[in-house]
Amino acid sequence: MAEPPLRPRRRFRQPSVIPGFGITFGYTLTCLGIIVLLPLAALVARASGLGLAGIWQVATDPRVASALRVSFGVSLLAALTASVFGFLIAWVLTRYRFPGRKLVDAVVDLPFALPTAVAGIALASLYAPNGLVGEQLAKLGIEAAYTPVGIYIAMVFIGLPFAVRTVQPLIEEIDKEIEEASATLGADRWHTLIKVVVPPLIPAVLTGFALAFARGVGEYGSIIFIAGNLPYVSEIAPLLIVIKLSEFDYGGACAIATIMLGISFVTLLAINLIQAWSRRRFGYV
Amino acid sequence: MSSALATRPPARAGSVVTEGLAVRALLIGIAVVFLALFLVLPLVTVFIQAFAKGWSAYLAAFTEADARSAIRLTLLTAAIAVPFNLVFGIMASWAVAKFEFRGKNLLVTLIDLPFSVSPVVSGLIYVLVFGAQGLLGPWLLAHDIQIIFAVPGIVLATIFVTFPFVARQLIPLMQEQGTAEEEAALTLGASGWHAFRTVTLPNIRWGLLYSVLLCNARAMGEFGAVSVVSGHIRGLTNTLPLHVEILYNEYNFVASFAVASLLAGLALVTLLVKSLLEWRFSAEIAAGARGH
């Protein structure tokens, strides 16, 4: 049997002795196509049927515009809160040793594990005017349930693990020698933290922020119970999609969904850019 | 001079890389209070409300026929969605981790896509394909196949939202392990399937179990996507999370929280096993360090 001639041209796949590429690759593509790509393509097809003008028309409808403002605005605030406290929690969990640390660490993942509807009714009953926390807030003149404050609380709940878990591994990896070097060179602890420790963590903080933001914008189950869903006040964009669907207004539902998908792709792109920048600047993600 | 330096307590050497005791205590306090208030309190509330009227009221919530059929449907959905994504995850990670081919990054990004889609939009896209007004709607109607507002739609939407779980856990893990061990097995005459079963599978088993656990929790708890495709037909297309919603909206709070406590219990078990796996097998679960 003659040896196959060596060809320098680039091929689709590097040769390998390991079998099974054809079947696993084919199976992967088939599943991906049927489960993910085909349905998403159906949305894109619907949306392009509406055209940019059609989508714009839906987006500028006062009720839709208000829902989009609530979803994006409150989610920004909630992601900011989650990032600040998430950083603090990640720092405490990696740097300090205290009794119950592992338990606290496990608790952080609760919003990942707890079904959103369960979180939703629990938050609603806690923050209702006669609820455990709602009663105290009412004394301070804060109405949480059935207002954007309630939406904010739910979004902080679901966004927090993203903020903690993106920063935590990087804090673990910090080489303490650079902190020692900084201290040896005369910097006090505060200066060391601000000038040496925090800068390399900024990309991870931004990534966590973006993930929490994207999750908050799309979130449905944990919000609708506490939000009260008053049009123009506490109605979120995902709920409006459900309402449009129940009215058989598929076009309206698709327009809102397309806007939300567009924003989440921009967020995804931003995360990738942050990570590419981080790789160039710090040598890791 | 030198003896004074030598007798300095070694503990002080560490103090330049941490904060003062007061600051540490304050930060730990803030972290614990924040987590207790925002995360633990809602969980505790579920159980307090569920038992607000005692055991008998709690148990009564599960004797209802609708509650039982919701439990059955949730179990059925997970029993289809989780194995599907398990097989898909292994196939995808084998293709991605063991071979070099063009467009690999794009493929991984596409597999991750469902994570960045809102649950409601995940439901919507299936309505657009299989609904009465959807792409395949007329054809399905002609053949008397119902997918939306029926069990197949619920299963499909659940598969979609849990699609990346296993694959994204296994891909980095198998990439880190490389191909040397499989190549050795093949050289020694093992078949591909034999090499997978005896070499690859033992290497990834804890990571696999870990991802299946998380996939199952999400599959049983998914609300938004399933809500859109289900049609909320009691006793027929109601999963546990949807049943929680219906009871809550009927002001049947004890029953609603009782059903919710079942899901909260599932979440607690998931967290417990997940933490145990992380403490014991962190290196075998995730590539590099721990985490998601």
Side-chain angles (χ1 to χ4, degrees):
Chain A
M1 213 181 348
E3 287 287 312
L6 284 171
R7 270 182 299 179
R9 83 180 167 88
R10 281 194 63 185
R11 39 169 103 212
F12 167 63
R13 177 168 77 86
Q14 302 293 315
S16 163
V17 295
I18 294 181
F21 179 76
I23 183 165
T24 55
F25 185 74
Y27 186 83
T28 304
L29 276 192
T30 310
C31 288
L32 186 69
I34 294 172
I35 299 290
V36 179
L37 300 182
L38 173 75
L40 279 173
L43 176 65
V44 173
R46 270 287 176 148
S48 55
L50 292 169
L52 273 181
I55 293 175
W56 183 249
Q57 199 186 349
V58 175
T60 48
D61 169 77
R63 190 171 167 190
V64 177
S66 153
L68 288 170
R69 249 198 322 276
V70 169
S71 275
F72 287 108
V74 178
S75 187
L76 266 177
L77 278 179
L80 206 61
T81 312
S83 294
V84 171
F85 283 94
F87 185 89
L88 193 151
I89 291 165
W91 182 262
V92 165
L93 285 175
T94 41
R95 280 310 180 90
Y96 306 153
R97 291 293 170 266
F98 56 95
R101 187 180 62 91
K102 284 190 167 178
L103 181 70
V104 175
D105 191 74
V107 162
V108 171
D109 280 333
L110 194 61
F112 281 152
L114 199 66
T116 55
V118 177
I121 62 167
L123 289 172
S125 93
L126 267 181
Y127 288 90
N130 60 351
L132 204 58
V133 182
E135 213 169 13
Q136 305 306 316
L137 288 178
K139 284 181 193 156
L140 301 170
I142 302 170
E143 273 181 78
Y146 321 129
T147 68
V149 179
I151 301 175
Y152 166 81
I153 290 165
M155 284 180 176
V156 172
F157 175 86
I158 49 147
L160 191 68
F162 292 97
V164 178
R165 296 301 187 212
T166 41
V167 187
Q168 199 174 7
L170 286 185
I171 297 180
E172 265 166 20
E173 275 172 29
I174 295 176
D175 190 352
K176 283 204 178 163
E177 277 177 19
I178 61 165
E179 291 171 61
E180 282 166 2
S182 166
T184 311
L185 293 170
D188 60 24
R189 184 64 187 155
W190 178 247
H191 258 91
T192 303
L193 284 179
I194 294 301
K195 301 261 177 175
V196 177
V197 176
V198 171
L201 298 174
I202 288 175
V205 173
L206 288 176
T207 304
F209 172 84
L211 288 172
F213 170 71
R215 180 71 205 267
V217 169
E219 181 55 24
Y220 176 70
S222 57
I223 296 175
I224 52 163
F225 297 99
I226 193 173
N229 312 322
L230 304 168
Y232 303 104
V233 178
S234 59
E235 196 172 56
I236 52 167
L239 177 71
L240 213 50
I241 294 180
V242 174
I243 293 175
K244 297 259 177 213
L245 264 181
S246 66
E247 291 165 351
F248 298 102
D249 179 6
Y250 283 34
C254 286
I256 303 172
T258 309
I259 295 166
M260 289 179 53
L261 265 189
I263 302 286
S264 50
F265 284 142
V266 170
T267 316
L268 217 72
L269 192 69
I271 293 173
N272 280 329
L273 289 178
I274 292 168
Q275 291 181 340
W277 168 69
S278 164
R279 258 192 297 272
R280 273 201 313 276
R281 173 76 177 70
F282 302 108
Y284 57 81
V285 181
Chain B
M1 271 303 277
S2 64
S3 71
L5 270 177
T7 51
R8 252 169 76 167
R12 289 220 36 181
S15 70
V16 298
V17 290
T18 187
E19 288 73 49
L21 185 64
V23 178
R24 267 183 289 168
L26 179 71
L27 292 182
I28 292 173
I30 294 175
V32 170
V33 168
F34 186 86
L35 287 172
L37 210 63
F38 270 84
L39 267 51
V40 179
L41 198 56
L43 178 72
V44 175
T45 302
V46 172
F47 291 98
I48 292 176
Q49 298 276 354
F51 291 104
K53 295 204 174 117
W55 264 103
S56 55
Y58 177 81
L59 291 176
F62 301 107
T63 52
E64 228 198 332
D66 290 340
R68 287 181 177 227
S69 78
I71 291 173
R72 269 198 303 277
L73 182 55
T74 292
L75 291 176
L76 172 73
T77 306
I80 301 172
V82 174
F84 180 92
N85 283 330
L86 172 73
V87 173
F88 168 77
I90 291 174
M91 293 289 227
S93 49
W94 183 269
V96 169
K98 301 292 179 195
F99 301 95
E100 289 304 321
F101 56 90
R102 283 201 252 174
K104 191 193 262 193
N105 288 336
L106 177 67
L107 182 66
V108 175
T109 307
L110 290 177
I111 291 173
D112 260 353
L113 211 51
F115 272 162
S116 45
V117 175
S118 165
V120 170
V121 177
S122 312
L124 169 71
I125 57 177
Y126 281 94
V127 175
L128 293 177
V129 176
F130 300 108
Q133 295 184 35
L135 281 181
L136 306 178
W139 186 87
L140 291 169
L141 203 66
H143 291 78
D144 202 23
I145 304 170
Q146 189 161 19
I147 289 181
I148 297 304
F149 306 141
V151 175
I154 292 173
V155 173
L156 279 172
T158 304
I159 289 177
F160 180 90
V161 294
T162 55
F163 193 70
F165 270 91
V166 181
R168 77 141 36 173
Q169 188 78 34
L170 290 189
I171 288 172
L173 188 60
M174 280 169 65
Q175 268 172 339
E176 196 186 52
Q177 286 166 353
T179 55
E181 290 183 34
E182 283 83 2
E183 279 164 7
L186 293 164
T187 313
L188 294 171
S191 70
W193 170 244
H194 196 78
F196 169 76
R197 236 186 44 223
T198 51
V199 176
T200 313
L201 204 53
N203 279 338
I204 60 169
R205 63 186 160 177
W206 296 114
L208 195 63
L209 180 64
Y210 183 86
S211 60
V212 163
L213 193 74
L214 296 183
C215 180
N216 179 61
R218 180 70 193 267
M220 288 192 172
E222 177 53 29
F223 176 71
V226 170
S227 166
V228 170
V229 297
S230 127
H232 298 90
I233 307 162
R234 286 185 92 141
L236 281 178
T237 61
N238 234 6
T239 60
L240 276 177
L242 298 179
H243 196 57
V244 168
E245 183 199 20
I246 287 186
L247 292 169
Y248 189 87
N249 287 340
E250 288 171 348
Y251 301 101
N252 193 349
F253 293 132
V254 169
S256 169
F257 278 102
V259 176
S261 75
L262 209 61
L263 290 165
L266 171 76
L268 282 178
V269 171
T270 304
L271 275 188
L272 183 74
V273 180
K274 170 180 178 297
S275 301
L276 289 177
L277 285 175
E278 275 170 0
W279 296 335
R280 283 218 48 195
F281 306 105
S282 58
E284 287 102 321
I285 289 172
R290 48 159 301 168
H292 297 266

